[in-house]
Amino acid sequence: MSSCAPLALAPLLAASAVTPASVVPASTQQAIGYPTLFLLVLAGALVPVIPTGALVSSAAVVAMHRTAPFSLAMVFLTASLAAFLGDAALYWLGRRGLKSKNGSRWLNGIRSRAPEDRLEQAQEKLAAHGVAVLVLSRLVPAGRIPVMLACLLAEWPMRRFARGNFPACLAWAVTYQLIGILGGALFDEPWEGVVAAIGLTLLISAVPAVVRRVR
């Protein structure tokens, strides 16, 4: 099995953590499921190889099939807060790296995930449209890191970045939750909806790479 397999299974593990089971009380499921979702999305914001969009979509599918009130609202709040805190932490670490003579492994990691051509596009759009580009960057697959690096190189203060990133995280959480709701509405069984939601998110994530390769 390849090293990517655990990452591909992460959404299913997160979903199973919040999936209702007759032998587990609902309160126990929530106590385990929401913190698990929070930690995985937070880690995915810091290390952009975890499919956080698929995690949120899977959790939304499971929440649809639960009888507990406010389950979908809790998924939204948990995912958006974790994404915001993860982005803020990564940006703070990147700023520290810029001020250091030797940089940092976090800054190097951000640079390694921002191809030069995409960074140039992000810098041009950021200069022309400001915070709006930051808001949209989280909705574009693989768009978050180049825009974050452009903000770092433009020496945006932490407060300005956070002000633009907050609505970006809210929009991101809503978008992937709606994908999960769509997948869950198509099937009666939660696991079928989870598979459909993961397929949709992976397909959306693959589109930009396919377009670049065709070009």
Side-chain angles (χ1 to χ4, degrees):
M1 184 179 293
S2 67
S3 59
C4 294
L7 296 180
L9 293 174
L12 290 174
L13 293 175
S16 64
V18 293
T19 302
S22 58
V23 296
V24 183
S27 58
T28 302
Q29 297 160 21
Q30 294 176 23
I32 296 173
Y34 296 131
T36 300
L37 177 64
F38 179 87
L39 291 175
L40 288 174
V41 173
L42 181 67
L46 289 169
V47 185
V49 292
I50 298 176
T52 52
L55 287 170
V56 177
S57 297
S58 300
V61 172
V62 176
M64 275 189 63
H65 290 83
R66 298 179 63 169
T67 57
F70 309 117
S71 293
L72 285 171
M74 284 299 299
V75 170
F76 169 74
L77 292 174
T78 302
S80 55
L81 178 60
F84 177 76
L85 294 177
D87 284 356
L90 185 59
Y91 192 78
W92 180 79
L93 291 168
R95 280 177 57 84
R96 287 195 63 185
L98 283 176
K99 296 177 181 179
S100 172
K101 291 183 178 180
N102 299 323
S104 71
R105 65 186 184 91
W106 291 101
L107 180 60
N108 293 336
I110 295 173
R111 289 184 182 275
S112 67
R113 294 183 177 88
E116 195 64 33
D117 57 334
R118 300 204 67 183
L119 175 59
E120 291 179 1
Q121 292 176 4
Q123 288 176 312
E124 292 174 359
K125 292 178 180 178
L126 192 68
H129 304 289
V131 172
V133 177
L134 181 59
V135 174
L136 292 174
S137 68
R138 255 199 169 273
L139 301 180
V140 178
R144 179 176 69 101
I145 294 299
V147 173
M148 180 181 289
L149 181 57
C151 292
L152 285 168
L153 297 178
E155 298 184 350
W156 277 27
M158 186 70 195
R159 181 177 298 180
R160 185 180 183 187
F161 175 81
R163 192 163 54 241
N165 192 53
F166 181 70
C169 291
L170 295 179
W172 170 81
V174 166
T175 299
Y176 280 97
Q177 192 164 5
L178 288 175
I179 292 174
I181 292 172
L182 175 62
L186 296 175
F187 301 96
D188 295 329
E189 294 295 330
W191 71 267
E192 295 175 325
V194 168
V195 172
I198 292 174
L200 285 172
T201 54
L202 294 180
L203 179 62
I204 292 171
S205 300
V207 168
V210 172
V211 172
R212 287 196 300 271
R213 182 164 296 183
V214 169
R215 287 180 177 176

